Amino acid sequence: MWSLTLAAIAAVALDRVLGEPGRGHPLGALGRAANRLEQRLNRRARGDLGRGALAVALLALPPVLAALALTLWLPWWLLWPLQVLGLWLALGARSLAEHGRAVAAPLAAGDLPEARRQVARIVSRDSDALDPEGVARAATESMLENGADAVFASLFWFLVAGLPGVLLHRIVNTLDALWGYRTPRYERFGKAAARLDDVLNWVPARLTALSYGLCGHLTPALRCWRRQAPLWDSPNAGPVMAAGAGALGVTLGGPAPYHGALKQRPRLGQGPAPDAATIDAALALVRRAMLLWLSVAVLIALCAGAAP
Protein backbone atom coordinates (compact mmCIF):
# COMPACT_ATOMS: atom_id res chain seq x y z
CA MET A 1 0.00 0.00 0.00
CA TRP A 2 2.84 2.39 0.82
CA SER A 3 4.38 1.90 -2.61
CA LEU A 4 1.17 2.89 -4.42
CA THR A 5 0.47 5.76 -2.03
CA LEU A 6 3.92 7.28 -2.47
CA ALA A 7 3.68 6.76 -6.23
CA ALA A 8 0.32 8.59 -6.24
CA ILE A 9 1.80 11.51 -4.29
CA ALA A 10 4.76 11.67 -6.68
CA ALA A 11 2.50 11.54 -9.75
CA VAL A 12 0.26 14.33 -8.41
CA ALA A 13 3.37 16.44 -7.72
CA LEU A 14 4.66 15.77 -11.26
CA ASP A 15 1.32 16.77 -12.73
CA ARG A 16 1.30 19.97 -10.71
CA VAL A 17 4.83 20.92 -11.80
CA LEU A 18 4.90 19.67 -15.40
CA GLY A 19 1.29 19.23 -16.45
CA GLU A 20 0.57 16.97 -19.40
CA PRO A 21 3.35 16.36 -21.95
CA GLY A 22 2.95 18.72 -24.89
CA ARG A 23 3.74 16.13 -27.54
CA GLY A 24 3.78 12.39 -27.76
CA HIS A 25 1.09 11.74 -25.15
CA PRO A 26 0.06 8.07 -25.28
CA LEU A 27 -3.61 9.08 -25.36
CA GLY A 28 -2.98 10.74 -28.71
CA ALA A 29 -1.67 7.46 -30.11
CA LEU A 30 -4.65 5.66 -28.56
CA GLY A 31 -7.03 8.09 -30.23
CA ARG A 32 -5.45 7.56 -33.64
CA ALA A 33 -5.51 3.78 -33.24
CA ALA A 34 -9.13 3.92 -32.08
CA ASN A 35 -10.17 5.98 -35.09
CA ARG A 36 -8.50 3.57 -37.51
CA LEU A 37 -10.03 0.53 -35.82
CA GLU A 38 -13.48 2.11 -35.72
CA GLN A 39 -13.34 2.84 -39.45
CA ARG A 40 -12.48 -0.80 -40.15
CA LEU A 41 -15.04 -2.39 -37.83
CA ASN A 42 -17.95 0.04 -37.75
CA ARG A 43 -19.24 -0.29 -41.30
CA ARG A 44 -22.94 -0.89 -40.73
CA ALA A 45 -25.28 2.07 -41.00
CA ARG A 46 -26.48 1.75 -37.41
CA GLY A 47 -23.31 0.30 -35.92
CA ASP A 48 -22.71 -3.10 -34.36
CA LEU A 49 -22.66 -3.78 -30.61
CA GLY A 50 -20.49 -6.89 -30.89
CA ARG A 51 -17.88 -5.18 -33.03
CA GLY A 52 -17.83 -2.25 -30.62
CA ALA A 53 -17.10 -4.64 -27.74
CA LEU A 54 -14.39 -6.31 -29.85
CA ALA A 55 -12.81 -2.92 -30.52
CA VAL A 56 -12.70 -2.14 -26.80
CA ALA A 57 -11.07 -5.49 -26.08
CA LEU A 58 -8.48 -5.09 -28.84
CA LEU A 59 -7.45 -1.67 -27.62
CA ALA A 60 -7.62 -2.24 -23.85
CA LEU A 61 -6.50 -5.80 -23.19
CA PRO A 62 -2.93 -5.74 -24.62
CA PRO A 63 -1.68 -2.73 -22.61
CA VAL A 64 -3.53 -3.81 -19.45
CA LEU A 65 -2.14 -7.35 -19.65
CA ALA A 66 1.33 -5.96 -20.32
CA ALA A 67 1.02 -3.71 -17.26
CA LEU A 68 -0.12 -6.70 -15.20
CA ALA A 69 2.90 -8.72 -16.33
CA LEU A 70 5.24 -5.86 -15.42
CA THR A 71 3.58 -5.53 -12.01
CA LEU A 72 4.08 -9.24 -11.30
CA TRP A 73 7.59 -9.66 -12.65
CA LEU A 74 9.51 -6.40 -12.27
CA PRO A 75 11.42 -5.67 -9.05
CA TRP A 76 9.93 -2.83 -7.03
CA TRP A 77 12.74 -0.38 -7.81
CA LEU A 78 11.98 -0.67 -11.54
CA LEU A 79 8.21 -0.92 -11.17
CA TRP A 80 7.78 2.11 -8.92
CA PRO A 81 8.95 4.76 -11.43
CA LEU A 82 6.76 3.13 -14.10
CA GLN A 83 3.79 3.42 -11.75
CA VAL A 84 4.53 7.10 -11.17
CA LEU A 85 4.85 7.67 -14.91
CA GLY A 86 1.64 5.81 -15.69
CA LEU A 87 -0.47 7.72 -13.18
CA TRP A 88 1.11 11.05 -14.17
CA LEU A 89 0.10 10.45 -17.79
CA ALA A 90 -3.44 9.53 -16.70
CA LEU A 91 -3.98 12.53 -14.43
CA GLY A 92 -5.26 15.83 -15.78
CA ALA A 93 -5.47 18.08 -12.73
CA ARG A 94 -3.18 20.84 -13.99
CA SER A 95 -4.70 20.72 -17.46
CA LEU A 96 -8.16 21.01 -15.92
CA ALA A 97 -7.06 24.05 -13.91
CA GLU A 98 -5.47 25.69 -16.95
CA HIS A 99 -8.65 25.26 -19.00
CA GLY A 100 -10.77 26.59 -16.15
CA ARG A 101 -8.62 29.67 -15.58
CA ALA A 102 -8.54 30.33 -19.34
CA VAL A 103 -12.33 30.78 -19.17
CA ALA A 104 -12.53 32.54 -15.80
CA ALA A 105 -9.96 35.27 -16.56
CA PRO A 106 -11.59 36.77 -19.70
CA LEU A 107 -15.06 36.29 -18.20
CA ALA A 108 -14.06 38.28 -15.11
CA ALA A 109 -12.58 40.97 -17.38
CA GLY A 110 -15.81 41.27 -19.38
CA ASP A 111 -14.33 39.72 -22.55
CA LEU A 112 -17.27 37.49 -23.45
CA PRO A 113 -16.05 36.51 -26.97
CA GLU A 114 -12.76 35.18 -25.57
CA ALA A 115 -14.54 33.43 -22.70
CA ARG A 116 -16.85 31.76 -25.22
CA ARG A 117 -13.87 30.70 -27.34
CA GLN A 118 -12.12 29.15 -24.37
CA VAL A 119 -15.20 27.36 -23.00
CA ALA A 120 -15.78 25.83 -26.45
CA ARG A 121 -12.54 23.89 -25.91
CA ILE A 122 -13.95 21.99 -22.93
CA VAL A 123 -17.71 21.63 -23.54
CA SER A 124 -19.81 20.47 -26.47
CA ARG A 125 -22.67 22.97 -26.14
CA ASP A 126 -23.08 25.91 -28.55
CA SER A 127 -20.72 28.43 -26.97
CA ASP A 128 -21.76 31.31 -29.26
CA ALA A 129 -25.24 31.15 -27.75
CA LEU A 130 -24.02 31.47 -24.15
CA ASP A 131 -24.34 34.63 -22.08
CA PRO A 132 -21.84 35.28 -19.24
CA GLU A 133 -23.89 33.19 -16.82
CA GLY A 134 -24.10 30.36 -19.37
CA VAL A 135 -20.32 30.42 -19.89
CA ALA A 136 -19.72 30.28 -16.13
CA ARG A 137 -22.24 27.46 -15.76
CA ALA A 138 -20.70 25.41 -18.57
CA ALA A 139 -17.15 25.83 -17.26
CA THR A 140 -18.09 25.09 -13.64
CA GLU A 141 -19.97 21.94 -14.64
CA SER A 142 -16.95 20.86 -16.69
CA MET A 143 -14.56 21.42 -13.76
CA LEU A 144 -16.71 19.30 -11.44
CA GLU A 145 -17.44 16.48 -13.88
CA ASN A 146 -13.98 16.27 -15.44
CA GLY A 147 -12.44 16.43 -11.99
CA ALA A 148 -14.21 13.15 -11.30
CA ASP A 149 -13.05 11.58 -14.58
CA ALA A 150 -9.56 13.00 -15.04
CA VAL A 151 -8.43 13.12 -11.41
CA PHE A 152 -10.38 11.06 -8.91
CA ALA A 153 -11.28 8.02 -11.00
CA SER A 154 -7.64 7.71 -12.05
CA LEU A 155 -6.49 8.00 -8.44
CA PHE A 156 -9.08 5.47 -7.30
CA TRP A 157 -8.17 2.79 -9.82
CA PHE A 158 -4.46 3.34 -9.30
CA LEU A 159 -4.72 2.97 -5.53
CA VAL A 160 -6.99 -0.08 -5.89
CA ALA A 161 -5.32 -1.93 -8.77
CA GLY A 162 -2.07 -0.15 -9.54
CA LEU A 163 -0.83 0.38 -13.08
CA PRO A 164 -3.23 -2.12 -14.73
CA GLY A 165 -6.21 -0.48 -13.02
CA VAL A 166 -5.40 3.08 -14.03
CA LEU A 167 -4.59 1.99 -17.60
CA LEU A 168 -7.90 0.17 -17.96
CA HIS A 169 -9.86 3.13 -16.68
CA ARG A 170 -8.07 5.73 -18.79
CA ILE A 171 -8.34 3.66 -22.00
CA VAL A 172 -12.05 2.92 -21.51
CA ASN A 173 -12.77 6.53 -20.54
CA THR A 174 -11.02 7.75 -23.70
CA LEU A 175 -12.94 5.31 -25.89
CA ASP A 176 -16.19 6.45 -24.32
CA ALA A 177 -15.24 10.05 -25.12
CA LEU A 178 -14.60 9.04 -28.74
CA TRP A 179 -17.52 6.67 -29.32
CA GLY A 180 -20.07 7.24 -26.58
CA TYR A 181 -22.51 9.31 -28.62
CA ARG A 182 -26.20 8.68 -29.18
CA THR A 183 -25.99 9.00 -32.95
CA PRO A 184 -26.86 6.39 -35.61
CA ARG A 185 -23.15 5.68 -36.17
CA TYR A 186 -22.09 5.32 -32.56
CA GLU A 187 -25.10 4.42 -30.41
CA ARG A 188 -24.63 0.67 -30.82
CA PHE A 189 -20.91 0.57 -31.64
CA GLY A 190 -19.98 2.77 -28.67
CA LYS A 191 -22.33 1.15 -26.16
CA ALA A 192 -19.75 -1.31 -24.81
CA ALA A 193 -17.28 1.50 -24.08
CA ALA A 194 -20.01 3.67 -22.56
CA ARG A 195 -21.38 0.95 -20.29
CA LEU A 196 -17.94 -0.20 -19.16
CA ASP A 197 -17.01 3.41 -18.42
CA ASP A 198 -20.19 3.75 -16.32
CA VAL A 199 -19.23 0.63 -14.35
CA LEU A 200 -15.64 1.74 -13.77
CA ASN A 201 -16.73 5.22 -12.69
CA TRP A 202 -19.62 4.20 -10.42
CA VAL A 203 -17.69 3.99 -7.15
CA PRO A 204 -15.18 6.82 -7.89
CA ALA A 205 -18.03 9.17 -8.86
CA ARG A 206 -19.80 8.67 -5.55
CA LEU A 207 -16.58 9.03 -3.58
CA THR A 208 -15.94 12.24 -5.53
CA ALA A 209 -19.41 13.53 -4.71
CA LEU A 210 -18.83 12.79 -1.02
CA SER A 211 -15.41 14.47 -1.18
CA TYR A 212 -16.90 17.61 -2.73
CA GLY A 213 -19.36 17.74 0.14
CA LEU A 214 -16.70 17.20 2.80
CA CYS A 215 -14.53 19.93 1.26
CA GLY A 216 -17.41 22.38 0.76
CA HIS A 217 -20.88 22.81 2.25
CA LEU A 218 -21.65 19.26 3.34
CA THR A 219 -25.36 19.41 4.23
CA PRO A 220 -26.59 21.05 1.00
CA ALA A 221 -24.22 18.86 -1.02
CA LEU A 222 -25.76 15.68 0.42
CA ARG A 223 -29.30 17.05 0.05
CA CYS A 224 -28.77 18.03 -3.59
CA TRP A 225 -27.12 14.67 -4.31
CA ARG A 226 -30.07 12.78 -2.86
CA ARG A 227 -32.83 14.83 -4.47
CA GLN A 228 -31.38 16.02 -7.78
CA ALA A 229 -28.89 13.39 -8.96
CA PRO A 230 -31.58 10.80 -9.89
CA LEU A 231 -33.09 13.35 -12.30
CA TRP A 232 -29.86 13.69 -14.31
CA ASP A 233 -29.43 11.55 -17.43
CA SER A 234 -25.96 10.26 -16.45
CA PRO A 235 -25.77 7.89 -13.46
CA ASN A 236 -22.30 9.12 -12.52
CA ALA A 237 -22.29 12.78 -13.57
CA GLY A 238 -25.52 13.37 -11.65
CA PRO A 239 -24.12 12.70 -8.15
CA VAL A 240 -20.86 14.50 -8.91
CA MET A 241 -22.44 17.67 -10.30
CA ALA A 242 -25.37 17.82 -7.88
CA ALA A 243 -23.10 17.39 -4.85
CA GLY A 244 -20.54 19.77 -6.33
CA ALA A 245 -23.14 22.46 -6.96
CA GLY A 246 -24.51 22.04 -3.45
CA ALA A 247 -21.00 22.17 -1.98
CA LEU A 248 -20.30 25.41 -3.86
CA GLY A 249 -23.67 26.94 -2.98
CA VAL A 250 -24.63 27.76 -6.58
CA THR A 251 -27.26 26.70 -9.08
CA LEU A 252 -26.06 24.74 -12.11
CA GLY A 253 -27.86 22.67 -14.75
CA GLY A 254 -30.94 24.06 -16.42
CA PRO A 255 -31.48 24.70 -20.15
CA ALA A 256 -28.39 24.65 -22.37
CA PRO A 257 -27.94 25.03 -26.16
CA TYR A 258 -26.74 21.95 -28.04
CA HIS A 259 -26.56 21.65 -31.83
CA GLY A 260 -28.92 24.51 -32.47
CA ALA A 261 -31.59 23.40 -29.98
CA LEU A 262 -32.20 24.14 -26.32
CA LYS A 263 -31.83 21.03 -24.19
CA GLN A 264 -33.92 21.07 -21.03
CA ARG A 265 -31.87 19.79 -18.09
CA PRO A 266 -32.77 19.57 -14.38
CA ARG A 267 -31.51 22.24 -12.02
CA LEU A 268 -28.63 21.23 -9.77
CA GLY A 269 -27.51 22.77 -6.51
CA GLN A 270 -28.98 25.75 -4.74
CA GLY A 271 -28.07 29.40 -4.45
CA PRO A 272 -27.15 32.18 -6.88
CA ALA A 273 -26.22 31.76 -10.53
CA PRO A 274 -22.54 31.05 -11.26
CA ASP A 275 -20.04 33.67 -12.39
CA ALA A 276 -16.30 33.78 -13.09
CA ALA A 277 -15.49 33.39 -9.39
CA THR A 278 -17.51 30.17 -9.31
CA ILE A 279 -15.10 28.56 -11.79
CA ASP A 280 -12.18 29.36 -9.50
CA ALA A 281 -14.17 28.06 -6.53
CA ALA A 282 -14.81 24.78 -8.35
CA LEU A 283 -11.09 24.39 -9.05
CA ALA A 284 -10.30 25.08 -5.39
CA LEU A 285 -12.86 22.44 -4.41
CA VAL A 286 -11.13 19.89 -6.67
CA ARG A 287 -7.75 20.75 -5.14
CA ARG A 288 -9.03 20.34 -1.58
CA ALA A 289 -10.64 17.02 -2.50
CA MET A 290 -7.33 15.82 -3.99
CA LEU A 291 -5.54 16.63 -0.74
CA LEU A 292 -8.27 14.79 1.15
CA TRP A 293 -7.84 11.67 -1.01
CA LEU A 294 -4.05 11.66 -0.61
CA SER A 295 -4.38 12.20 3.14
CA VAL A 296 -6.81 9.29 3.45
CA ALA A 297 -4.49 7.10 1.36
CA VAL A 298 -1.59 7.91 3.71
CA LEU A 299 -3.78 7.16 6.73
CA ILE A 300 -4.85 3.80 5.28
CA ALA A 301 -1.23 2.94 4.51
CA LEU A 302 -0.23 3.81 8.08
CA CYS A 303 -3.03 1.67 9.51
CA ALA A 304 -2.14 -1.22 7.20
CA GLY A 305 1.51 -0.98 8.22
CA ALA A 306 0.60 -0.99 11.91
CA ALA A 307 -1.67 -4.03 11.60
CA PRO A 308 -0.19 -7.27 13.01
Side-chain angles (χ1 to χ4, degrees):
M1 184 64 188
W2 267 116
S3 177
L4 290 177
T5 300
L6 293 176
I9 294 171
V12 169
L14 268 182
D15 177 74
R16 185 172 180 83
V17 173
L18 301 177
E20 294 180 348
R23 294 181 180 180
H25 198 294
L27 290 182
L30 173 64
R32 291 188 292 272
N35 286 333
R36 289 194 297 268
L37 188 60
E38 186 269 337
Q39 290 170 8
R40 291 179 63 89
L41 294 180
N42 192 21
R43 294 182 176 180
R44 296 183 181 179
R46 297 193 61 81
D48 187 297
L49 180 61
R51 291 191 173 200
L54 175 63
V56 173
L58 290 174
L59 290 166
L61 284 180
V64 170
L65 291 176
L68 180 60
L70 291 174
T71 301
L72 294 175
W73 296 335
L74 280 183
W76 71 267
W77 53 272
L78 283 177
L79 176 62
W80 192 82
L82 283 180
Q83 291 174 324
V84 174
L85 178 64
L87 180 56
W88 169 54
L89 292 174
L91 285 173
R94 175 167 169 170
S95 176
L96 185 73
E98 289 171 349
H99 284 303
R101 287 193 293 266
V103 179
L107 189 61
D111 188 353
L112 182 57
E114 177 61 15
R116 285 171 168 168
R117 190 178 73 84
Q118 292 296 333
V119 83
R121 300 176 62 190
I122 56 175
V123 299
S124 59
R125 66 196 73 178
D126 300 333
S127 60
D128 289 342
L130 298 175
D131 59 9
E133 180 184 313
V135 170
R137 181 180 296 110
T140 301
E141 291 173 3
S142 179
M143 298 304 102
L144 295 173
E145 184 176 5
N146 286 314
D149 284 343
V151 177
F152 299 109
S154 293
L155 278 174
F156 174 85
W157 283 109
F158 180 78
L159 291 170
V160 168
L163 192 58
V166 74
L167 272 180
L168 177 63
H169 168 262
R170 180 47 59 207
I171 291 170
V172 171
N173 187 250
T174 301
L175 296 180
D176 177 49
L178 292 172
W179 301 339
Y181 297 101
R182 292 179 178 177
T183 63
R185 180 176 182 87
Y186 290 113
E187 184 164 12
R188 288 180 58 79
F189 185 84
K191 185 166 289 187
R195 293 295 177 266
L196 185 54
D197 186 62
D198 285 343
V199 171
L200 291 175
N201 279 322
W202 198 91
V203 172
R206 281 145 186 84
L207 291 176
T208 302
L210 178 60
S211 301
Y212 286 164
L214 291 171
C215 295
H217 301 292
L218 178 59
T219 299
L222 296 178
R223 182 169 58 247
C224 293
W225 177 1
R226 184 178 68 255
R227 295 178 179 176
Q228 299 169 346
L231 305 176
W232 203 253
D233 59 359
S234 168
N236 293 326
V240 167
M241 291 169 57
L248 292 171
V250 297
T251 298
L252 301 176
Y258 288 90
H259 312 298
L262 198 63
K263 181 179 179 180
Q264 298 297 328
R265 309 177 307 160
R267 295 284 181 181
L268 299 175
Q270 61 182 45
D275 55 18
T278 309
I279 305 171
D280 292 325
L283 290 171
L285 185 67
V286 172
R287 287 195 298 272
R288 291 196 298 272
M290 284 179 60
L291 290 175
L292 175 63
W293 277 50
L294 293 177
S295 299
V296 170
V298 169
L299 182 61
I300 293 174
L302 284 171
C303 292

